[in-house]
Amino acid sequence: MSETLAVREAQARPNRAFSLDWLPVMPRIAWRNLGRRRYRTLISIGSFAFAVLLVGAGISLQVGAYSSMIKRGTELMSGHGQIQHPDWLDDAKLEYLIDDASALTALARSHPGVTGVSVRAQASGLVANSGAPDKAGKAGLVMGIEPSSEPQVSAIPDRLIAGRYIESGDEAMIGVALARNLNLEISDEITVIGAAESGGIAAFVCEVVGIFDAGFPALNRTLVQVPIALVSEAFDLQDRASNVVMRVQDPMTSREVLAGLAFRIEQAGRMEGIAVRDWREVNSELYSSILLDAIGSVFMYAFIVLMVGFTILGSVLMVMFERRAEFGVLMALGMRVGVLRRLISWEVLWLWLCGMLLGLAVVAAVIGWYGEVGIPMPTDEAMQDILDSVHMDARMYPEFSSLAFVWVPCLLLALAQLAAVLATRKLGRQLPAEVLRSV
Amino acid sequence: MVKKLRVTRKRRHWQRVVCCFALTPLAAAPVAKDMPDAREFMAAVIDESRGQTSYAELTMVVTRPDWTRTSKLVAWTKGRDKSLVRFTAPPREAGNAFLTLDDRIWTWSARIGRRIRLPTSLMSQSWAGSDLSYSDLARSDDRLDHYRFELSPADASGIDVALSSDQRIYRIDATPLDNAPVVWGKEALIVRADHVLLRQVFFDQSMQPVKRIETMRVDEVGSRVFASDTLVEDLEEPGHTTRLVFDVIEFDTDISDEMFTTFELAKQFVR
């Protein structure tokens, strides 16, 4: 007999793949309650999903764009940080060089977290085609680099379009526009003349072994890279240099890494006439543009999240209104107000959870796809100029961000729970009879 | 009564205005009569400093907050548009030279044995690490084509009595013409009646003084009077000065046109 009852019970229980029987009774009742008004539940879930989709996708796009801007903005010249003279940033003159460059370079190389180090000596100069002395020269930025370590901090060696990278001796790599303006080809000789640090004329000749396209007109038009020994000798610099350029593992942590390096330099007693700056200071225009954009976006996202918060509040208030009779009966039967509040809180929690799962799944799929293939930007010349000016690629690659996937959902949960508290705050102030009478 | 008073006041006002206009030519007449033409005066200032030809040996002292460098130079000029300047000391600089032909400038580095022609865009840059610019070396009569001049009597206060030599002092305000390839906002020159330049102040586009050339000594060579000791000050960088002292100068000597060629520029300097 009992066996027959068990079979009947089993047959009577619907065969559901999705069962919440393992949960305590309160979340189970909350879930069941959501099923009673499916249309409204779907709208509420949609609100959550839409909010996290909008904010999450927006943040992922921005984080991707910022990463691209930081990468492009730091990969050619500034690196992720520099050791330089305190006044170099405002006035890049030979007057503001750092002493003991080799000791500082060694310190930087041994510092944990620093992945690439190279020393540079740069000066303004006049560059001319030695084979055409009557053709006017061009103003140039003459940069002495360490050929062996420069690729660690700069992508210019990867941007060669002709010839090869400099190795040593009297060799030069020049920008493509400078080569065109001076009618220079590989193996041609250039003359460089400038003002030495202690006055007088600094001059040297070298052979063009490489021509690069840095992707930035100003660099293509002016930059001449030669071995640092050549610049040091011609400009009489000895062991002084313009800057020690560094790269770190993650540019977002460069500030901390470089603060540690500055502390070590100070301990070594070499901090006089030295400033250790991260890319945010060296490339302040880039950082400011990112910061400005991010500040503007914070307001937009806050507005969206707030909008969703009010939607949820409205939804819960509606629930409270519709279920006054139910709550009145339950309270008359002796259910405590606190239990009712917990029930509403669980219902809101379910709505949030479903909304997040749906929204984040869509965001993850979109970011996963476009993070790989990229979102193409318009390629007309005007747009390209704008992209170049803010150091952005022609394709935008969104990136997963903890802000989008953790913090925004947490904020939405807090707002939803706040809405639940606000909506149920009147329950305790009314007697069950009053509640029932008002129905 | 009130109306009559107003009419009287109006009449007095117009009487004053008419009187002012009537008296203005009388007041201005003596000044206008004595004042030379501004442009011609400026041309005379340029010619006075160069002569038809000139040969000079100079000492140039460049001073910076951290160091001082003394160089020796020789210079040849012919007319308003040809000059050759060659360093003779210190040894590291000896032989380096600058040739100016019209508005073109070549620089010669003796160390590497190469010459470069300067682009026009670099004319305002520092010359040989001093506070002078390449355009200070280039055709000085360019100024006549690119500026509008206003001549006025100047106050001699602030000018050394020995330098003013009891002569009349003029002020020339040189304002660049609208399309002139000039970086300055204005130049103000204080000049003696005998065309000797006593002071020259360069103003930037916001009319702030940025460079000053001050005559420290005036000498006489034959019938010619010229500034033989000049101090150039960078007013934006305290402690940045360049002093040019003429040790030897000869005017109107016989200098061949061959002197002002790129061949001569590249000639090895022999001490």
Side-chain angles (χ1 to χ4, degrees):
Chain A
M1 181 66 189
S2 63
E3 196 179 315
T4 317
L5 274 175
V7 171
R8 278 182 189 168
E9 256 183 41
Q11 284 172 345
R13 197 182 297 147
N15 185 18
R16 287 180 299 181
F18 179 65
S19 167
L20 297 174
D21 292 348
W22 52 278
L23 280 173
V25 68
M26 191 67 84
R28 269 192 287 157
I29 293 172
W31 178 257
R32 191 204 60 196
N33 284 349
L34 291 182
R36 285 161 52 192
R37 292 278 185 178
R38 285 185 182 166
Y39 188 61
R40 189 178 58 218
T41 300
L42 282 175
I43 290 175
S44 299
I45 289 173
S47 297
F48 276 113
F50 181 70
V52 81
L53 178 69
L54 206 63
V55 178
I59 290 175
S60 302
L61 268 174
Q62 275 185 301
V63 168
Y66 296 160
S67 290
S68 162
M69 287 165 76
I70 294 168
K71 180 178 171 289
R72 283 198 77 200
T74 59
E75 70 183 357
L76 294 177
M77 301 292 280
S78 71
H80 292 150
Q82 291 189 6
I83 302 172
Q84 53 180 223
H85 188 282
D87 294 327
W88 176 263
L89 201 58
D90 295 326
D91 200 356
K93 291 198 297 194
L94 282 179
E95 217 171 293
Y96 304 126
L97 298 177
I98 50 171
D99 295 324
D100 300 327
S102 47
L104 290 167
T105 308
L107 261 174
R109 283 197 173 119
S110 65
H111 190 68
V114 176
T115 54
V117 179
S118 192
V119 64
R120 290 180 188 156
Q122 72 182 57
S124 299
L126 184 61
V127 186
N129 184 341
S130 301
D134 289 325
K135 183 178 168 61
K138 299 286 174 194
L141 176 64
V142 184
M143 183 178 283
I145 57 165
E146 282 185 324
S148 58
S149 59
E150 184 69 12
Q152 294 172 12
V153 297
S154 172
I156 286 181
D158 304 328
R159 306 280 170 90
L160 279 172
I161 54 169
R164 61 172 174 79
Y165 182 60
I166 51 174
E167 287 166 2
S168 60
D170 302 342
E171 296 180 341
M173 265 190 348
I174 62 170
V176 61
L178 184 63
R180 189 172 54 242
N181 292 340
L182 291 175
N183 293 332
L184 286 165
E185 290 176 3
I186 300 296
S187 300
D188 282 349
E189 188 189 78
I190 56 170
T191 306
V192 178
I193 289 186
E197 198 251 336
S198 54
I201 297 170
F204 61 86
V205 289
C206 48
E207 181 192 343
V208 176
V209 296
I211 295 171
F212 60 79
D213 181 357
F216 289 93
L219 290 181
N220 286 344
R221 205 169 48 237
T222 59
L223 188 60
V224 176
Q225 288 196 324
V226 296
I228 192 167
L230 205 57
V231 175
S232 296
E233 205 267 326
F235 286 80
D236 195 20
L237 303 183
Q238 292 149 7
D239 194 24
R240 283 170 299 164
S242 314
N243 37 28
V244 177
V245 185
M246 295 165 284
R247 281 191 85 81
V248 297
Q249 195 71 45
D250 176 8
M252 300 316 287
T253 63
S254 59
R255 212 174 251 162
E256 292 75 27
V257 173
L258 297 179
L261 176 62
F263 180 70
R264 281 186 63 203
I265 294 173
E266 188 141 27
Q267 276 190 325
R270 295 181 184 276
M271 204 58 194
E272 197 183 340
I274 295 293
V276 181
R277 293 181 165 129
D278 89 325
W279 63 269
R280 293 171 185 83
E281 280 182 274
V282 177
N283 216 331
S284 57
E285 281 178 15
L286 170 67
Y287 182 55
S288 302
S289 60
I290 290 176
L291 209 58
L292 273 175
D293 188 71
I295 289 169
S297 305
V298 163
F299 284 104
M300 192 183 76
Y301 295 137
F303 180 71
I304 293 171
V305 168
L306 211 63
M307 220 165 61
V308 172
F310 278 115
T311 308
I312 302 302
L313 179 64
S315 175
V316 179
L317 280 173
M318 190 58 74
V319 167
M320 297 302 297
F321 183 74
E322 282 181 359
R323 292 160 68 186
R324 284 178 74 84
E326 177 192 338
F327 291 147
V329 170
L330 289 171
M331 285 164 73
L333 287 172
M335 184 177 269
R336 281 172 294 142
V337 174
V339 177
L340 273 176
R341 282 181 178 150
R342 281 215 308 277
L343 183 67
I344 298 295
S345 173
W346 270 105
E347 286 179 19
V348 169
L349 186 70
W350 278 122
L351 289 173
W352 171 82
L353 191 64
C354 294
M356 289 307 107
L357 286 175
L358 181 66
L360 291 178
V362 177
V363 174
V366 170
I367 295 171
W369 171 256
Y370 283 110
E372 284 299 317
V373 300
I375 301 167
M377 308 292 282
T379 51
D380 58 282
E381 200 174 324
M383 190 64 188
Q384 194 58 50
D385 287 346
I386 294 170
L387 290 175
D388 282 346
S389 69
V390 293
H391 303 283
M392 278 182 69
D393 283 319
R395 273 180 178 270
M396 194 188 280
Y397 294 90
E399 277 183 19
F400 286 99
S401 148
S402 61
L403 189 66
F405 283 79
V406 178
W407 295 110
V408 170
C410 285
L411 184 64
L412 284 171
L413 175 63
L415 270 176
Q417 289 301 332
L418 182 67
V421 169
L422 287 174
T424 57
R425 77 187 192 286
K426 276 188 178 172
L427 273 179
R429 293 185 209 150
Q430 289 174 305
L431 293 169
E434 288 174 357
V435 176
L436 285 171
R437 209 178 296 132
S438 67
V439 175
Chain B
M1 180 67 186
V2 175
K3 199 175 176 185
K4 195 178 176 185
L5 197 66
R6 276 186 191 153
V7 170
T8 315
R9 276 183 185 164
K10 271 187 179 175
R11 193 176 295 153
R12 276 184 193 157
H13 170 75
W14 283 109
Q15 277 171 352
R16 282 190 202 122
V17 171
V18 170
C19 277
C20 283
F21 274 105
L23 291 173
T24 303
L26 295 175
V31 178
K33 197 178 173 186
D34 288 357
M35 289 291 257
D37 177 74
R39 197 169 185 280
E40 280 175 19
F41 193 82
M42 189 67 216
V45 172
I46 294 167
D47 290 341
E48 187 69 26
S49 63
R50 305 186 76 155
Q52 282 303 307
T53 61
S54 71
Y55 166 79
E57 292 176 15
L58 305 98
T59 301
M60 181 169 78
V61 184
V62 179
T63 306
R64 294 288 178 265
D66 301 331
W67 49 264
T68 298
R69 183 171 53 90
T70 304
S71 309
K72 295 275 186 187
L73 308 100
V74 286
W76 297 262
T77 68
K78 189 166 189 177
R80 288 176 182 167
D81 53 9
K82 293 188 181 111
S83 72
L84 178 66
V85 181
R86 193 185 297 281
F87 279 84
T88 57
R92 189 181 162 90
E93 303 295 321
N96 293 337
F98 299 87
L99 171 69
T100 307
L101 283 175
D102 300 322
D103 52 358
R104 294 166 295 159
I105 292 186
W106 283 266
T107 174
W108 168 259
S109 169
R111 197 160 159 213
I112 57 171
R114 298 284 193 286
R115 74 166 190 269
I116 287 186
R117 208 190 116 198
L118 260 81
T120 321
S121 59
L122 279 191
M123 296 296 267
S124 60
Q125 297 293 307
S126 159
W127 169 71
S130 73
D131 296 295
L132 290 161
S133 67
Y134 287 102
S135 53
D136 293 328
L137 259 70
R139 275 177 68 171
S140 45
D141 63 337
D142 263 6
R143 199 175 273 125
L144 298 175
D145 301 330
H146 297 151
Y147 286 81
R148 183 176 56 249
F149 301 99
E150 281 175 46
L151 192 70
S152 57
D155 183 6
S157 62
I159 304 289
D160 191 340
V161 180
L163 291 177
S164 64
S165 182
D166 291 334
Q167 294 199 37
R168 195 164 189 172
I169 307 291
Y170 293 101
R171 177 190 169 100
I172 303 174
D173 286 303
T175 313
L177 299 174
D178 288 344
N179 297 321
V182 173
V183 294
W184 309 115
K186 191 181 89 168
E187 289 181 38
L189 300 90
I190 303 291
V191 188
R192 281 190 349 196
D194 58 355
H195 308 126
V196 175
L197 180 67
L198 299 180
R199 182 186 293 155
Q200 186 171 4
V201 183
F202 298 82
F203 294 81
D204 63 14
Q205 295 295 334
S206 50
M207 294 302 160
Q208 294 299 309
V210 288
K211 187 164 85 168
R212 181 169 58 206
I213 302 178
E214 190 93 33
T215 297
M216 309 302 286
R217 197 179 74 221
V218 176
D219 276 328
E220 219 168 302
V221 176
S223 61
R224 199 175 293 274
V225 185
F226 76 105
S228 59
D229 185 353
T230 313
L231 183 72
V232 185
E233 285 179 272
D234 184 338
L235 300 178
E236 291 182 309
E237 302 263 14
H240 287 223
T241 62
T242 299
R243 190 159 190 162
L244 270 173
V245 181
F246 284 79
D247 303 316
V248 175
I249 186 151
E250 294 166 12
F251 288 108
D252 302 327
T253 57
D254 186 23
I255 299 174
S256 155
D257 279 343
E258 302 297 311
M259 177 62 80
F260 307 100
T261 58
T262 52
F263 176 75
E264 190 65 28
L265 173 79
K267 213 168 172 181
Q268 280 301 311
F269 169 71
V270 182
R271 266 174 292 163

